[in-house]
Amino acid sequence: MSFLSKIIGAKAEKAASEFVKGLMNGSQSGQEQSQPQQYAAPVQNTAPAAPSPSGFSWGAEMPDEENQFNFPGSYIEYFTKVFNEEFPDYDISRTEGTQVTFTFTKNGSTRLIVELLKQSSGAYKTRRDCAKNGIPYLRYYIDHDGWWNTRAYVSQRTRNALGG
């Protein structure tokens, strides 16, 4: 019993062996070879390409809506403006270090922590601390290709995290 038959079984080895012999004999004996499958040339579509799919705040094309990349300031200024204009009934403080953190408070109680992070960030301490203390937490990636952080997206997502 050969090594191959131990792995795949004697019947499979015999079938494979006969198949290979048939291929070799056909090419050597002048027997007619089967012609390779012919494929039709792809049909050329002359219609303009449809835009690539996009979601609420992501896609290959920058949306017309205000977002962190078409805002005439830094991403920190953009998020500060959106948060302050959309959530005037919260006290919003900002800290800056390796990442930017916004803390939403109301009536002296912390209601939400938002971090602005690079996609490659491995920072999870704030998220763990929030989970441990029952504080809602969000993060927005500021450099993920095709993620625009449109105003509507940031507003809706933040509002949902604040409970409505």
Side-chain angles (χ1 to χ4, degrees):
M1 185 177 269
S2 75
F3 177 73
L4 186 59
S5 65
K6 287 179 184 176
I7 295 174
I8 64 173
K11 286 184 181 181
E13 179 189 27
K14 183 178 178 185
S17 178
E18 288 176 6
F19 176 75
V20 171
K21 284 180 189 173
L23 287 175
M24 291 174 61
N25 288 341
S27 65
Q28 292 173 355
S29 68
Q31 293 177 351
E32 185 178 318
Q33 302 256 333
S34 64
Q35 294 297 316
Q37 172 115 16
Q38 297 295 317
Y39 294 98
V43 175
Q44 295 295 323
N45 185 356
T46 56
S52 60
S54 293
F56 184 38
S57 185
W58 60 268
E61 306 261 337
M62 183 186 300
D64 289 334
E65 181 184 353
E66 181 181 51
N67 65 70
Q68 81 175 66
F69 297 99
N70 65 13
F71 181 74
S74 72
Y75 68 89
I76 297 170
E77 293 168 326
Y78 169 73
F79 280 95
T80 300
K81 177 182 184 269
V82 171
F83 292 152
N84 287 329
E85 289 178 359
E86 294 290 326
F87 306 101
D89 48 337
Y90 289 88
D91 294 317
I92 304 169
S93 61
R94 181 180 80 215
T95 58
E96 295 180 39
T98 42
Q99 64 266 356
V100 178
T101 305
F102 291 90
T103 303
F104 290 67
T105 57
K106 192 173 195 178
N107 301 326
S109 175
T110 300
R111 302 294 177 95
L112 175 66
I113 303 286
V114 175
E115 282 188 303
L116 306 182
L117 300 169
K118 291 186 175 188
Q119 161 185 330
S120 62
S121 173
Y124 296 102
K125 181 183 180 336
T126 303
R127 181 163 59 180
R128 280 192 307 266
D129 290 347
C130 286
K132 184 170 73 174
N133 294 308
I135 299 170
Y137 170 87
L138 287 178
R139 61 175 42 185
Y140 290 99
Y141 291 114
I142 53 157
D143 64 346
H144 189 86
D145 188 40
W147 290 10
W148 303 103
N149 290 323
T150 60
R151 184 181 183 110
Y153 172 75
V154 170
S155 297
Q156 180 180 340
R157 190 165 175 241
T158 303
R159 185 167 282 106
N160 290 344
L162 287 165

